[in-house]
Amino acid sequence: MPEGHTIHRAAIDHHRIFARQKLIVSSPQGRFSEGASILNEQICSAVEAFGKHLLYKFNNEYTLHIHLGLFGRIRKQKLPLAEPKSSVRIRLIGKKHLVDIIGPTICEVLDQKGVMALIGRIGPDVLRPDANPDFAFEKISRSKAPIGRLIMDQSVMAGIGNIYRSEILWRQAIHPETPGKAICQQAFDRIWGDARALLAIGVERNAIVTVFDEQSAKRGYGEKYNIFGKTNCPNCKGEIRRFEISGRRTFVCETCQPIET
DNA sequence: TTGATTGTTACCGG
DNA sequence: TCCGGTAACAATCA
């Protein structure tokens, strides 16, 4: 679930239901009691996403920092209260809604300095209007690491996860094993633009959708991916190669995505 | 019970 | 210094 679009969607949604409200913040399992007590009964001023990091800002200058990792989930419900699942780490309650944060890898309270440090170490987020893509291109064009690794490196550019990685590179006909330094400005611009467009659609539809043929448009659903988890290329029908980049499965059509060096 | 999974970081060796 | 590999952590489902 958690690629960048999930977090941005949550930020927009939670800002809508929580901003300017005094929140009840609790730690049902008691595993985040100190943090919860700092934030409890404070007014939420903003909810923002930076890459896959979610920040709830409060008027007392403290910020709740959430990262869902691979397994974390966010569950929003309308009041009245329901019993939290046993894996709920922190629960936020506003006037009409509650949000449970389930199994995050990061759940902590940051001060202003901590927030600055966090934002400083995250690369430009493809979904943020204030992102500077030049920073990412600069890093990519100086690296000999494969582009498939670089675009998913959140300190290079933020937001892309394992599914979008294979999908974007296939759509842009770029081989994931192409070294960063072999990626020209135009190729990078295509990657950045496609990432931004796809993740924005992901935010809207609350799903990873990278296929836009007539059939799926008419029906409103259909195949969601072009290449991820597939055995044959939808374009040339050839066999798709499956391998790993930094321990994560990657899919490539050697015919449609020729490698450049 | 085992394995797989839309993620990240600390640590270590080359 | 930089790069790649490995372990650790998280929750759920088939």
Side-chain angles (χ1 to χ4, degrees), chain A residues 164-212:
Chain A
Y164 281 125
R165 156 167 79 182
S166 286
E167 293 294 309
I168 290 165
L169 292 177
W170 180 83
R171 282 163 53 94
Q172 298 307 321
I174 294 167
H175 197 292
E177 287 174 303
T178 308
K181 53 178 59 174
I183 299 290
C184 63
Q185 178 80 55
Q186 288 88 337
F188 170 77
D189 290 345
R190 285 181 5 242
I191 292 171
W192 181 273
D194 204 28
R196 194 174 45 182
L198 290 181
L199 292 222
I201 288 163
V203 172
E204 266 177 44
R205 305 192 28 180
N206 202 19
I208 302 172
V209 180
T210 61
V211 181
F212 307 98

Side-chain angles (χ1 to χ4, degrees), chain A residues 7-16 44-57 63-66 115 118-119 125 128-130:
Chain A
I7 304 306
H8 278 263
R9 171 148 184 134
I12 294 165
D13 196 25
H14 297 182
H15 184 83
R16 186 175 56 78
C44 177
S45 52
V47 186
E48 243 189 304
F50 284 86
K52 300 171 185 173
H53 299 258
L54 186 55
L55 301 179
Y56 298 82
K57 303 196 167 189
T63 297
L64 172 64
H65 172 210
I66 299 294
V115 172
L118 170 69
I119 293 169
D125 178 343
R128 291 185 64 95
D130 58 7

